[in-house]
Amino acid sequence: MKIVENYSLQPLNTFGFDVSARYFGQAETVEDLRQAIGFAGEKKLLLIPLGGGSNVVLSDHLEALVLAVDLKGRSVVSQQNDQMLVQCRAGENWHEFVLWTLDNEAYGLENLSLIPGNVGAAPIQNIGAYGVEIKDVFHSLEALDIATGELRTFDRDDCQFGYRDSVFKNSLKDRFIITSVTFELSSVLEPKLGYGHLQNAVQKKAAGQSLTAKMISDVVCEIRSQKLPDPAVIGNAGSFFKNPVVPASVVDRLKQEFPDLVCFPFEGEWKLAAGWLIDQAGLKGFTMGQVGTYAKQALVLVNHGEGTPRELVALADHIRSTVLARFGVELEMEPRVY
């Protein structure tokens, strides 16, 4: 594997920030990963695995070895009755993988269409949309132990999935590099249409025809495209903040002052719509230098062209403090800041 110095990461982060790394490598095999771990250890450098660059905020210059995890391959591992085990290596693009599963009549990921990033990052974040999360369709994953260079298999319980959370963001943070993920899908479509606007749009799309997973995927893509900017056009990382989960007492308090509060039940508590909070705080379409919130969706932070990571972090801090002052609710960032 070739490792190069002073490498521009501008095309490798969806914010499009003009940042660079002291060293950069592209790993296409597990042996490449092991070589990179050894190199970083010898140089006493931080090792930063990079997937699609869609859930990170990178500093101006990283004194680190940034490693593009580019392991490729996808296959149907087994099929028994309706159950299908489908494996995908970490470097595959997530949306392209979703479309591949639909082409192979393996259903369950259609609600997660058009989420940016690569497959290897999906379990770390427990990505989710429209009533489906990774944990709902997850079977296992394989990951490389950075300390030992050994491969280890994790099942669903091992991953300790939570809302946009997993063990890889907590006790095992920075200790493993995910190499492949196996999903438990079905050859029989079981539509998940619990979100009213999704159900209405899907019914309109079907228009009396037999419902297909491709129809659901197409509708999800249409909705996301209307709400979220294309990173190729305007730099962004999708939803920047998690929807806060709060007890009922907080919802009761907020509804007294804000009767139109957007919230919904979630595992015995309530989930607030972070985008609504930011919008109501007067920050939708707000700009700070060359960064800002997206005019159509306050939950998305954007780079207007010449923005810097420092400006973006300052904007995020301003949004968090403003929302806290107005609602008494803490916002938590989704992307990782390096």
Side-chain angles (χ1 to χ4, degrees):
M1 182 184 63
K2 184 179 180 182
I3 295 177
V4 296
E5 283 192 78
N6 299 317
Y7 191 85
S8 173
L9 302 174
Q10 189 166 19
L12 299 178
N13 73 100
T14 59
F15 272 112
F17 288 137
D18 186 11
V19 297
S20 61
R22 174 70 183 280
Y23 293 100
F24 173 80
Q26 189 170 355
E28 298 180 356
T29 67
V30 171
E31 284 308 311
D32 287 345
L33 294 176
R34 291 188 175 116
Q35 180 186 338
I37 291 168
F39 181 90
E42 290 171 8
K43 298 285 187 179
K44 295 183 171 55
L45 287 170
L46 175 66
L47 175 65
I48 301 177
L50 188 65
S54 61
N55 202 45
V56 292
V57 180
L58 303 175
S59 302
D60 293 331
H61 180 75
L62 292 162
E63 278 294 324
L65 168 59
V66 174
L67 184 66
V69 180
D70 202 28
L71 284 70
K72 295 294 177 65
R74 51 204 181 190
S75 63
V76 177
V77 177
S78 67
Q79 182 169 359
Q80 187 173 9
N81 298 323
D82 298 339
Q83 184 193 71
M84 299 176 69
L85 292 185
V86 177
Q87 185 179 76
C88 187
R89 305 204 81 193
E92 293 282 357
N93 174 271
W94 173 260
H95 179 59
E96 291 177 6
F97 169 61
V98 171
L99 296 182
W100 180 88
T101 63
L102 301 185
D103 287 342
N104 284 271
E105 300 180 349
Y107 307 126
L109 300 180
E110 50 277 355
N111 290 40
L112 303 181
S113 298
L114 210 60
I115 293 178
N118 288 359
V119 169
I124 298 174
Q125 187 75 359
N126 186 25
I127 62 172
Y130 302 106
V132 177
E133 293 181 316
I134 283 294
K135 68 178 178 63
D136 302 323
V137 289
F138 180 86
H139 178 269
S140 59
L141 65 79
E142 188 177 72
L144 188 69
D145 188 325
I146 293 175
T148 68
E150 297 298 317
L151 288 170
R152 174 177 162 187
T153 300
F154 291 79
D155 63 19
R156 184 186 283 109
D157 290 341
D158 294 332
C159 292
Q160 299 175 23
F161 290 122
Y163 170 55
R164 301 297 176 271
D165 200 19
S166 73
V167 70
F168 302 104
K169 294 178 71 173
N170 297 291
S171 61
L172 296 185
K173 184 177 180 180
D174 298 329
R175 291 178 56 186
F176 286 86
I177 299 174
I178 294 174
T179 57
S180 68
V181 187
T182 301
F183 299 90
E184 189 172 308
L185 305 180
S186 176
S187 60
V188 177
L189 175 62
E190 297 179 3
K192 302 292 191 300
L193 302 175
Y195 279 67
H197 63 293
L198 176 62
Q199 184 174 29
N200 294 337
V202 167
Q203 289 174 345
K204 184 177 179 181
K205 181 89 169 178
Q209 306 173 65
S210 297
L211 179 62
T212 67
K214 185 63 165 58
M215 287 179 186
I216 298 172
S217 173
D218 288 345
V219 169
V220 168
C221 290
E222 290 166 9
I223 294 173
R224 291 184 68 88
S225 296
Q226 291 167 6
K227 292 172 55 179
L228 305 174
D230 182 348
V233 178
I234 181 168
N236 74 93
S239 299
F240 197 85
F241 297 99
K242 296 167 71 170
N243 290 321
V245 177
V246 300
S249 58
V250 172
V251 171
D252 292 340
R253 171 180 62 80
L254 289 172
K255 279 193 171 181
Q256 291 180 16
E257 187 175 354
F258 308 98
D260 57 346
L261 178 73
V262 178
C263 59
F264 40 95
F266 180 76
E267 297 181 357
E269 296 188 290
W270 289 81
K271 189 183 288 186
L272 307 180
W276 184 90
L277 296 173
I278 298 167
D279 190 353
Q280 294 301 305
L283 296 174
K284 187 176 183 179
F286 176 81
T287 60
M288 179 182 285
Q290 283 290 308
V291 300
T293 55
Y294 188 48
K296 295 182 181 179
Q297 171 55 267
L299 190 55
V300 178
L301 273 55
V302 296
N303 173 17
H304 290 297
E306 301 296 327
T308 66
R310 194 167 299 173
E311 283 182 318
L312 189 82
V313 171
L315 171 63
D317 288 343
H318 175 69
I319 292 170
R320 295 176 69 188
S321 61
T322 303
V323 168
L324 180 62
R326 176 144 197 201
F327 300 102
V329 174
E330 288 266 12
L331 292 181
E332 181 182 346
M333 295 192 301
E334 283 196 27
R336 181 166 180 185
V337 179
Y338 285 99

